[in-house]
Amino acid sequence: MKKTVLAAAAAAVALTLGGCASSGSLDGGSEESSGDTITIGSANFSENVLLAHIYAEALEDAGVATTVKPNIGSREVIIPALQDGSIDIVPEYSGALLAYLGGDDTAFSSEDVLKALDAVVPEGTTLLEAASAEDKDTLVVTAETAEKYSLVSIGDLQPVAGELVLGGPPETKDRRAGVPGLKELYDVTFGEFKSVDLGGPLTVAGLNGGDIDVALMFTTQSAIAENNFVSLEDPEYMSLAENIIPIVRSDRADDTVTEALNAVSAKLTTEDLIRMNREIEVDKKDPQKVARAYVDSL
């Protein structure tokens, strides 16, 4: 039964992503953005798709033609696509980007992470202003699992993790906010890892159905409160500060683009993200329409 639930959820995700896909391809080589149109890419989860549309709507208001390529994939795909010209802008998360780029692993606060990012930003790309809005990785369990094992923080998993299944996207196996960080910072090793989506319907179904015991999600996801999941505390900073920040190809970061996106960052808050995520994930609103309404409110 549990596998059936996950399979059904997987089919739903596949249909959703297929329906969201834009024209154009990222497979193979570099399909550069054409003419004066700015191409904004996103990772394959709803909040990042929302942010891409927010950037697009703000740029359109500033007179810049845009196109959005949503659900491209993980950072391991997106950053090379940015570098080869397939896309021009990506909404990023400061700590995760720093970890991916191999920057200072002693930077934890927003200020320190952003400073460290400046030292490792890829050649040919530019970081614009960061928002106060932050969405961090978090490990969550059901309320029943938290009660059964007396789980409050990640370290509480240490004596029982060998009996449990961790769920997360494939890159969880290689990232600081995943298997390596769990071992290094908390001496936590799970009995099994199962690949699911980035805190989406597969993750929720897996937790509620008992197919996975602990899952990687995001602190701004409405599914945490909707399902009464428990977010485990992270006193050792396995997850770094994660401020929303646009990364742009340097040759596209003119004054118009910079001013429009910096204006978004100046207003965007964590509370905004939580509210808009709920509109998309619970109320099933179109991300582009939610983005348009948000930009109109600025």
Side-chain angles (χ1 to χ4, degrees):
M1 177 62 73
K2 295 169 186 172
K3 292 184 178 178
T4 301
V5 171
L6 283 177
V13 171
L15 288 172
T16 300
L17 297 186
C20 288
S22 299
S23 59
S25 172
L26 286 170
D27 52 1
S30 67
E31 180 193 322
E32 293 194 6
S33 303
S34 59
D36 294 327
T37 299
I38 294 285
T39 302
I40 305 164
S42 88
N44 53 340
F45 58 97
S46 61
E47 179 182 278
N48 206 249
V49 173
L50 167 69
L51 289 166
H53 280 297
I54 288 174
Y55 290 173
E57 296 296 329
L59 289 171
E60 291 280 351
D61 284 359
V64 179
T66 67
T67 185
V68 173
K69 286 188 176 180
N71 297 306
I72 291 171
S74 68
R75 191 166 289 107
E76 287 78 2
V77 176
I78 290 175
I79 297 303
L82 185 69
Q83 291 177 291
D84 73 19
S86 300
I87 54 179
D88 300 308
I89 300 172
V90 176
E92 261 293 1
Y93 300 82
S94 58
L97 181 60
L98 179 65
Y100 169 78
L101 295 173
D104 183 359
D105 62 4
T106 65
F108 303 123
S109 70
S110 293
E111 182 180 357
D112 288 346
V113 168
L114 292 172
K115 183 178 179 180
L117 262 181
D118 284 335
V120 293
V121 63
E123 184 177 356
T125 66
T126 298
L127 293 169
L128 302 186
E129 293 296 321
S132 66
E134 190 175 8
D135 182 4
K136 300 181 72 169
D137 294 326
T138 183
L139 288 183
V140 304
V141 296
T142 64
E144 293 77 13
T145 298
E147 182 178 2
K148 178 178 180 180
Y149 296 108
S150 301
L151 302 177
V152 175
S153 96
I154 295 174
D156 296 333
L157 288 164
Q158 199 277 331
V160 297
E163 307 168 25
L164 305 178
V165 178
L166 172 66
E171 56 269 22
T172 302
K173 293 184 291 185
D174 303 311
R175 290 183 175 175
R176 175 190 172 94
V179 173
L182 285 165
K183 178 61 178 176
E184 179 182 350
L185 299 173
Y186 292 103
D187 194 25
V188 167
T189 301
F190 284 91
E192 185 180 352
F193 173 78
K194 287 192 176 181
S195 180
V196 290
D197 53 11
L198 266 167
L202 288 178
T203 300
V204 173
L207 283 168
N208 283 330
D211 203 51
I212 56 178
D213 302 296
V214 183
L216 185 71
M217 294 187 72
F218 302 121
T219 52
T220 59
Q221 285 186 291
S222 60
I224 295 176
E226 292 290 325
N227 292 274
N228 198 30
F229 293 154
V230 175
S231 181
L232 300 180
E233 296 174 7
D234 179 18
E236 300 299 326
Y237 294 99
M238 186 176 78
S239 296
L240 310 182
E242 296 290 2
N243 297 88
I244 310 300
I245 186 168
I247 181 169
V248 186
R249 284 179 57 83
S250 299
D251 58 1
R252 307 310 297 269
D254 60 21
D255 288 345
T256 302
V257 169
T258 299
E259 290 172 9
L261 297 187
N262 283 349
V264 170
S265 292
K267 297 286 188 178
L268 187 66
T269 67
T270 301
E271 291 72 23
D272 291 334
L273 285 180
I274 293 172
R275 175 181 55 78
M276 289 188 284
N277 282 337
R278 190 184 192 287
E279 290 179 22
I280 293 167
E281 296 168 358
V282 178
D283 301 335
K284 305 302 180 185
K285 292 184 179 180
D286 184 323
Q288 185 172 7
K289 291 181 179 179
V290 173
R292 181 67 257 172
Y294 177 71
V295 172
D296 285 343
S297 75
L298 296 179

